[in-house]
Amino acid sequence: MFMGIVVLTMKASVIEMFLVLLATGIHSNKDMTKKIKRPKLAVPQINCDVKAGKIINPEFVVKCPAGCQDPKYHVYGTDIYASYSSVCGAAIHSGVLDNSGGKILVRKVAGQSGYKGSYSNGVQSLSLPRWRESFIVSEGKPQKGVTYPSALTYSSTKSPPAKTGEATKAYQKPPVPETTAQPVTLMQVTGAPATEATHTSLPKPSPSTGSTTSSLRPQPVGHRSWELGFVPKEELSTQSLDPVSQGDANCKVDLSFLIDGSSSIGKRRFRIQKQFLADVAQALDIGPGGPLMGVIQYGDNPAAQFNLRTHMNSQDLKTAIEKITQRGGLSNAGRAISYMTKNFFSKANGNRGSAPNVAVVIVDGWPTDKVEEPSRFARESGINIFFITVEGATENEKQYMTEPNFLNKAVCRTNGFYSLSVQSWFSLHKTVQPLLKRVCDTDRLACSKTCWNSADIGFVIDGSSSVGTGNFRTVLQFVANISKAFEISETDTRIGVVQYTYEQRLEFGFDDYTTKSDILNAINRVGYWSGGTSTGAAINYALEQLFKKSKPNKRKLMILITDGRSYDDVRIPAMVAHHKGVITYAIGVAWAAQDELEVIATHPASDHSFFVDEFDNLHRFVPKVIQNICTEFNSQPRN
């Protein structure tokens, strides 16, 4: 009886202990689960002197420290950099980083046949004849679906000695294949004492490696200066590389395609559109010295598929195009054009500034939003807009269009140069060559801003009694001769005229005439007024009645012609004009006061004020005024 009780008690104790252990184990497992939860991967940090060629990883995100703008961190190339360059120095040179450091994305690309040095963002890069491996730098935003290493893999400085007849097992930087034994002349390392050239033999690879054979060119011995862009011999590839295309220099444009990804287009026609892009990429010789191309897809909202600097050759571009997937939604081309204008053509995205910006908008049928204003803003921002409409609206369908006649409103010329209409998606491939012929004809790309088509020019003419009727006609001829030089239209340069004495009157405003012939006729019809000379009041009047209606992003030019000293003060009106961004040219004739002309003129006065002794010599200053207008424009950033 007692034994049974003891046994039951023991069993109860065992069960109790088991439950305690079980509970403890559960808590332990929870604790272990918490412990093994992996932290978010950190971005590796590198020093300023780390070269891309020392890092094995083909694509990686790193963090650069501050202070890498120092010239001791050498950079080779522009936009595409030789892998012997400082990674962080190249990032600053390209404009992705400043001297304060930060995260960047680095991607290895093929070696180039040459690298051109340039000065950019406080960094002087050097030139290099060729290099076996290159890299490009972009903003440190990881691409979706791509895993980047949390720790970098570096190549060793010295390779371990290889046994005779065996391939070296140390890492060899791509794309140099292992080579058969050949005598190689070694060049002296910079800074080392001069010695006689020695010869050595590279190890012969084993047959199983499948390496190719290439001849090695002897290199001269000699001390080379870093500042001239030469590097130590052991860092130079001994293999003769096939030339890498720099691109077609006859078609150097920064090109953006805005493709229609709306639901209405369907999967089949979307594939035809992608094939069209691939055909364009194949026909263009993409490269840093020629055309660069990026793609934006739009539906309800736009999104960049890749930018100008993402792919530097036609084959990579075609591969990227094939991977594009359809977005669906509406066909909001206007929203896509606005997105492109504000975001796409930036320096960080590869905009070179020296190449024209060109956008080709492909539309299935017609847009579901308005394109006139976004297109105008794009043109005034320096972008040439082409439209390709496929299977456009029939007469019965035009009633459903959001913006009737949208095509003529979107392009800057209605002569057919900037628009192509395609009857069927199955005929789209036929437009490749006609489109590229126009895109690459940079002399005819008149829709981007130039000194000829980007201004609102207001002439302020002295009509006082001292001028006289005959001389007034000479002044009008001067105004007409300057106006003739510019491309005049509603979207290009516009002309307005104010005449003044004691009073002022608007002869015609910027919106009154939109063709050159109409402008010249209007100038010819201006009648002589006669009276006093209140130049200060005339400047104020022109600011309020003429330049207040100037378009955004237009250069505002005031050309004032007077023959005497003003009866009122010109200082404050001139300061107001300068403050409002109106570039003022002051032209004095006969009794005009030189000190007043210099006050009225924009700084420097030597470029913006002119004096002529009599009206008959006024025509001599037409070329000089036009030249100074264009010189000033071309000295500013292109976009």
Side-chain angles (χ1 to χ4, degrees):
M1 181 77 172
F2 293 106
M3 289 180 63
I5 293 171
V6 171
V7 170
L8 288 171
T9 304
M10 290 177 65
K11 286 181 178 179
S13 300
V14 170
I15 291 170
E16 187 177 309
M17 291 177 63
F18 175 76
L19 291 173
V20 171
L21 290 171
L22 183 62
T24 305
I26 291 171
H27 286 296
S28 299
N29 286 338
K30 288 182 178 177
D31 292 340
M32 288 177 66
T33 304
K34 290 179 181 178
K35 289 178 182 177
I36 64 174
K37 188 176 181 181
R38 295 182 180 178
K40 189 176 181 180
L41 293 177
V43 175
Q45 183 162 338
I46 60 174
N47 294 327
C48 297
D49 60 352
V50 172
K51 301 178 179 67
K54 293 296 181 182
I55 301 173
I56 294 176
N57 310 83
E59 190 170 358
F60 51 90
V61 175
V62 291
K63 186 175 182 181
C64 290
C68 296
Q69 203 175 31
D70 195 305
K72 68 182 179 182
Y73 305 121
H74 298 288
V75 177
Y76 299 87
T78 301
D79 295 329
I80 298 181
Y81 301 95
S83 62
Y84 196 70
S85 305
S86 158
V87 172
C88 299
I92 296 175
H93 182 272
S94 67
V96 175
L97 286 185
D98 56 26
N99 201 34
S100 61
K103 288 193 297 183
I104 57 172
L105 173 61
V106 179
R107 185 166 67 89
K108 300 285 189 71
V109 294
Q112 305 289 302
S113 58
Y115 299 84
K116 186 177 181 180
S118 65
Y119 182 82
S120 179
N121 302 306
V123 175
Q124 176 65 59
S125 69
L126 306 175
S127 298
L128 195 64
R130 62 184 176 89
W131 196 251
R132 60 176 171 265
E133 183 185 57
S134 311
F135 68 99
I136 57 177
V137 187
S138 57
E139 293 179 359
K141 296 179 181 178
Q143 297 181 10
K144 190 175 181 180
V146 180
T147 303
Y148 298 96
S150 58
L152 301 175
T153 305
Y154 292 84
S155 61
S156 57
T157 305
K158 294 183 180 180
S159 302
K163 295 180 182 179
T164 305
E166 291 185 0
T168 303
K169 298 185 183 295
Y171 174 78
Q172 301 293 325
K173 295 183 209 174
V176 183
E178 297 182 45
T179 56
T180 54
Q182 294 287 340
V184 179
T185 304
L186 299 179
M187 187 172 72
Q188 172 195 336
V189 178
T190 305
T195 57
E196 292 294 325
T198 59
H199 291 79
T200 185
S201 295
L202 295 178
K204 185 178 181 180
S206 60
S208 61
T209 61
S211 60
T212 57
T213 303
S214 64
S215 61
L216 304 175
R217 295 186 294 180
Q219 300 290 338
V221 179
H223 183 86
R224 299 292 189 185
S225 167
W226 283 100
E227 302 307 320
L228 295 176
F230 290 88
V231 297
K233 174 61 186 72
E234 56 262 34
E235 292 292 346
L236 280 168
S237 167
T238 56
Q239 183 196 11
S240 185
L241 297 175
D242 292 333
V244 177
S245 175
Q246 295 295 302
D248 182 2
N250 294 319
C251 185
K252 188 177 180 181
V253 295
D254 289 340
L255 179 61
S256 170
F257 273 87
L258 281 66
I259 63 172
D260 193 336
S262 60
S263 301
S264 64
I265 194 173
K267 292 183 178 180
R268 185 181 183 186
R269 288 181 291 183
F270 188 75
R271 285 196 300 270
I272 293 173
Q273 186 175 209
K274 290 204 304 180
Q275 184 57 54
F276 172 76
L277 291 184
D279 292 344
V280 169
Q282 181 65 41
L284 288 171
D285 184 8
I286 299 293
L292 296 179
M293 177 174 156
V295 173
I296 294 170
Q297 183 186 171
Y298 67 92
D300 288 334
N301 295 296
Q305 304 293 150
F306 46 84
N307 62 36
L308 295 167
R309 68 191 306 161
T310 308
H311 304 292
M312 289 291 178
N313 61 72
S314 296
Q315 187 55 50
D316 287 351
L317 192 58
K318 288 172 63 180
T319 302
I321 290 167
E322 179 58 33
K323 295 178 181 178
I324 296 175
T325 57
Q326 188 175 358
R327 293 180 64 83
L330 299 175
S331 184
N332 289 332
R335 187 175 294 178
I337 294 168
S338 295
Y339 170 85
M340 171 203 65
T341 305
K342 294 176 183 177
N343 302 291
F344 189 83
F345 288 107
S346 66
K347 188 173 183 180
N349 286 336
N351 183 33
R352 291 171 287 185
S354 59
N357 294 160
V358 179
V360 180
V361 184
I362 304 176
V363 180
D364 176 41
W366 60 89
T368 52
D369 63 350
K370 294 185 177 182
V371 299
E372 181 179 12
E373 278 304 302
S375 297
R376 181 188 62 79
F377 185 68
R379 295 194 306 269
E380 291 180 355
S381 298
I383 302 169
N384 296 275
I385 298 243
F386 287 80
F387 262 75
I388 300 177
T389 54
V390 188
E391 299 178 5
T394 64
E395 286 300 321
N396 291 333
E397 291 173 329
K398 287 181 179 179
Q399 60 181 316
Y400 304 114
M401 295 172 65
T402 306
E403 189 176 32
N405 199 26
F406 74 90
L407 195 56
N408 286 340
K409 295 177 181 179
V411 297
C412 71
R413 297 286 188 277
T414 56
N415 58 6
F417 183 80
Y418 291 95
S419 58
L420 296 96
S421 296
V422 183
Q423 296 301 315
S424 167
W425 279 97
F426 301 103
S427 303
L428 183 59
H429 66 279
K430 297 178 182 179
T431 64
V432 171
Q433 289 304 325
L435 173 67
L436 296 187
K437 186 177 180 180
R438 302 177 194 196
V439 166
C440 295
D441 188 0
T442 55
D443 291 336
R444 292 189 65 187
L445 296 180
C447 293
S448 57
K449 290 193 298 184
T450 67
C451 70
W452 311 114
N453 64 12
S454 63
D456 281 342
I457 303 177
F459 290 92
V460 180
I461 305 171
D462 184 350
S464 61
S465 303
S466 58
V467 174
T469 303
N471 289 335
F472 187 77
R473 303 310 303 173
T474 302
V475 171
L476 292 181
Q477 188 59 53
F478 174 81
V479 171
N481 288 340
I482 291 180
S483 300
K484 284 179 185 176
F486 293 88
E487 295 173 12
I488 296 170
S489 77
E490 184 180 0
T491 55
D492 294 320
T493 292
R494 303 186 304 168
I495 305 292
V497 172
V498 167
Q499 184 182 175
Y500 74 96
T501 58
Y502 283 128
E503 299 175 286
Q504 311 83 32
R505 74 182 180 203
L506 180 65
E507 301 292 352
F508 56 87
F510 293 136
D511 292 321
D512 291 342
Y513 303 103
T514 57
T515 68
K516 188 174 293 187
S517 59
D518 286 345
I519 288 290
L520 297 178
N521 288 333
I523 292 170
N524 189 53
R525 290 195 300 268
V526 173
Y528 176 51
W529 201 357
S530 186
T533 308
S534 295
T535 306
I539 295 172
N540 282 331
Y541 181 88
L543 294 176
E544 284 299 313
Q545 300 299 319
L546 195 58
F547 288 100
K548 199 169 186 178
K549 298 178 181 178
S550 184
K551 287 188 177 181
N553 300 317
K554 285 285 188 183
R555 296 175 70 233
K556 303 174 185 65
L557 302 177
M558 181 191 295
I559 301 177
L560 185 143
I561 306 114
T562 182
D563 80 327
R565 183 176 289 277
S566 177
Y567 292 170
D568 62 355
D569 182 64
V570 299
R571 289 180 177 81
I572 294 177
M575 288 175 61
V576 173
H578 301 160
H579 181 71
K580 290 186 174 182
V582 178
I583 301 169
T584 307
Y585 287 81
I587 298 160
V589 189
W591 301 281
Q594 187 70 36
D595 59 333
E596 275 192 354
L597 297 177
E598 292 177 359
V599 168
I600 295 168
T602 295
H603 181 79
S606 57
D607 293 335
H608 297 87
S609 65
F610 305 89
F611 181 82
V612 58
D613 55 353
E614 56 186 56
F615 284 95
D616 288 340
N617 292 329
L618 195 57
H619 68 278
R620 297 179 182 177
F621 282 85
V622 170
K624 183 63 176 175
V625 172
I626 294 172
Q627 180 185 345
N628 284 16
I629 289 172
C630 287
T631 299
E632 185 174 52
F633 174 84
N634 293 329
S635 68
Q636 302 301 315
R638 214 186 65 77
N639 288 336

